[in-house]
Amino acid sequence: MGISPCGAPGAFTHPDCAATRPRIYREHVLAPASLDNTQPGYSLTRRANETDARVPVPASDWKFATCDTGTNAFPGTPSPTSVCLKGGFDPAYLYELVYVAKDPKVMGVGLAALRDTVSFFRSKAADSNGTPNPLAGRITHTLGQGTSQSGNAMKTFLHLGFNQALDGGKVFDGMYAHVAARQTNINTRFAVPGGGGGLRTDHTAFGQTAPRGLDKDYMDDISGRQGGVMKRCAATNTCPKFFLGLSGTEFWQLQGSPVLTDATGTKDLVQPDNARIYYYASTQHGGAGGTGSIAYAPTRATYPTGTVVHFNDTFRALFLNLEDWVVRGMQPPASQMPKLADGTLVRPEALSFPAMKGLTWAVGGVQTPIPDFSYRGLYNNFPLFDFGPQYIPQDEAGIATVLPPRNLGRDYAILVPQVDASTGLTRAGIRSVEARAPLGTSIEFNYVATPGITDLANLTGSFIPFHKTRAARLAAGDARPSLEELYGTQDGYVAAVTQAANDLVAQRLLLQRDADLQIARAKAAAVLP
């Protein structure tokens, strides 16, 4: 059986699928077993928000077909790769297609291929055909790195035991899973290795059941299952030195906090000695950062999109720290993450943002008012699902026979980083130069602006600049400090950036070359007189 929410193969358009008019995605990689949609197990439903009840679309109103009604009556030419809906798909709705699928691809073999390829180059003299290894004897250590989905794949590789080579040795000595909160569904019949994390999308798709906790003895009190990501590698002594990096998006949209706390969100977890977790404070899932990266389309997102605070510089420094740890035995910086114990990791309803109001942003050359910031407390929750008795949830493996899956009525706790009451920037984690010498508030989420849609803008944050002067921010009723109050003059801003950059270099969280570039950019920016 196949299921196609937005973001998965065979998806259909709605506001979170980046389409502006009804149309059909033609990405169906899971062909239906039959084009007869009146058979048991076939359905098309729609709803405005994920929490709304599914409204069935009559089978007579949709067909597996191309909709090329210029030469044929509805539904057009039968096709296993398209769906035609009478009247077209309305982008105001979330559509969900469930059908009996055929010809699943063997996806998990890619994990074995990665294991064997790296092992060959690392330690073999020749392959099975006698072809010499061109790198034989030249590799002393191996590092694996993945970002976002490929980072999830690295965690899956580790969790399923593939860091043990066929000869019993390690495949990777070090591993960095960057902005990677989950695992990848790759060892399941009809695997869906991609997917996003909006409130309206991908909530019941695969990738939700493998453990988030790292430690071999992690206990999941919601599902009752024992064992974390490193259970198998700990048993075979093949665990790598491991870095996990988290942006703010991983907390709000990708259910990241269970790696930090027990499943009920009542205590901080003790992390394995071979692991470090780094939270990139006040950042979104990706992007270059800087005020030039901010965009604003008021019809799509409530606030200007993007975060000025970014993690690119931080990532470069940390990757070299991982190399130093693996190759030279030099201990990396300690984990930097929000915690329950010090109040920097809290329930979403516990956040308290300062007032942010009275600002504009240039849109098409016209200064457009930014709505006064209003915190709505939206986040992607994390229910426990049942995909049926042939599915192995702790390994994201097997055969899912219950689709959509059954919600068991037990939710994992989702917690988020607490913000500073003055600036609105988050308090914990690695605070980069842009967070230590800010030009405004980088917020780790944004809201969809479409009326009637309750959702976070997908994988993007917000930026709301500070007022330039104290008088302007008081007149607007903005509670945050102005640039004038923070820095006084342009020289004061440059001094603050310089101090922040130097401090981060001393902490091994910024490379000197990147610090120099940050300082040069500050000198060139016209922030204050």
Side-chain angles (χ1 to χ4, degrees), residues 111-426:
L111 299 175
L114 176 61
R115 174 198 63 195
D116 295 346
T117 300
V118 175
S119 297
F120 168 75
F121 285 118
R122 174 173 184 157
S123 61
K124 305 301 181 185
D127 67 14
S128 57
N129 293 323
T131 305
N133 175 5
L135 299 177
R138 298 171 61 187
I139 295 177
T140 59
H141 303 84
T142 54
L143 303 180
Q145 192 274 318
T147 296
S148 191
Q149 293 290 10
S150 58
N152 293 336
M154 295 303 293
K155 289 170 68 180
T156 305
F157 181 91
L158 180 60
H159 170 55
L160 294 182
F162 283 93
N163 205 51
Q164 180 185 17
L166 293 179
D167 63 6
K170 289 183 183 179
V171 177
F172 292 109
D173 298 302
M175 189 177 290
Y176 194 156
H178 176 51
V179 290
R182 302 187 288 179
Q183 291 197 36
T184 297
N185 177 259
I186 199 172
N187 198 37
T188 305
R189 181 183 289 184
F190 298 112
V192 183
L199 275 67
R200 291 164 45 84
T201 62
D202 200 38
H203 218 172
T204 56
F206 302 120
Q208 307 287 340
T209 61
R212 302 296 171 92
L214 300 180
D215 190 76
K216 63 182 177 62
D217 296 322
Y218 169 72
M219 183 65 202
D220 181 345
D221 293 322
I222 298 296
S223 69
R225 294 189 284 266
Q226 185 274 336
V229 173
M230 296 187 183
K231 181 176 181 177
R232 286 185 173 91
C233 71
T236 58
N237 196 30
T238 56
C239 291
K241 303 288 194 297
F242 184 80
F243 279 10
L244 175 62
L246 301 172
S247 77
T249 302
E250 278 70 74
F251 290 89
W252 293 96
Q253 287 190 269
L254 298 172
Q255 307 150 324
S257 68
V259 73
L260 302 179
T261 75
D262 65 332
T264 57
T266 57
K267 64 180 180 181
D268 297 308
L269 294 178
V270 176
Q271 302 299 335
D273 291 340
N274 66 305
R276 299 290 186 273
I277 301 179
Y278 299 109
Y279 158 57
Y280 317 126
S282 300
T283 61
Q284 65 180 22
H285 191 68
T291 54
S293 69
I294 306 300
Y296 191 25
T299 59
R300 295 181 60 187
T302 304
Y303 306 109
T305 54
T307 54
V308 168
V309 181
H310 73 94
F311 50 63
N312 298 359
D313 294 350
T314 305
F315 171 78
R316 281 190 289 272
L318 287 175
F319 191 87
L320 293 183
N321 282 316
L322 177 61
E323 179 184 338
D324 284 339
W325 194 15
V326 168
V327 177
R328 302 168 187 88
M330 184 185 300
Q331 286 289 318
S335 293
Q336 297 203 29
M337 53 195 176
K339 298 178 181 179
L340 289 165
D342 60 11
T344 56
L345 187 66
V346 298
R347 304 278 176 171
E349 58 268 23
L351 260 63
S352 181
F353 282 92
M356 295 180 249
K357 56 176 64 177
L359 290 140
T360 62
W361 196 267
V363 178
V366 177
Q367 289 296 321
T368 301
I370 300 173
D372 293 346
F373 180 76
S374 177
Y375 174 58
R376 298 172 61 188
L378 302 182
Y379 63 94
N380 197 3
N381 70 323
F382 190 0
L384 181 67
F385 289 118
D386 175 18
F387 288 92
Q390 297 182 62
Y391 185 74
I392 307 169
Q394 63 270 29
D395 285 348
E396 291 281 338
I399 302 171
T401 56
V402 178
L403 289 171
R406 185 165 61 98
N407 190 323
L408 295 175
R410 305 196 296 274
D411 286 7
Y412 293 87
I414 295 296
L415 297 99
V416 297
Q418 181 60 281
V419 300
D420 181 81
S422 175
T423 64
L425 295 161
T426 54

Side-chain angles (χ1 to χ4, degrees), residues 21 60 102 196 287 298 352 424 481:
R21 64 185 186 279
S60 59
K102 66 177 182 178
S352 181

Side-chain angles (χ1 to χ4, degrees), residues 404-474:
R406 185 165 61 98
N407 190 323
L408 295 175
R410 305 196 296 274
D411 286 7
Y412 293 87
I414 295 296
L415 297 99
V416 297
Q418 181 60 281
V419 300
D420 181 81
S422 175
T423 64
L425 295 161
T426 54
R427 290 166 41 192
I430 299 175
R431 302 177 73 246
S432 67
V433 170
E434 296 90 351
R436 296 178 182 222
L439 298 176
T441 303
S442 288
I443 303 169
E444 298 174 329
F445 53 84
N446 207 324
Y447 301 129
V448 169
T450 307
I453 300 301
T454 301
D455 202 357
L456 297 170
N458 200 32
L459 303 184
T460 189
S462 319
F463 178 69
I464 303 181
F466 294 141
H467 288 275
K468 185 162 285 191
T469 66
R470 181 175 186 273
R473 68 103 174 164
L474 289 175

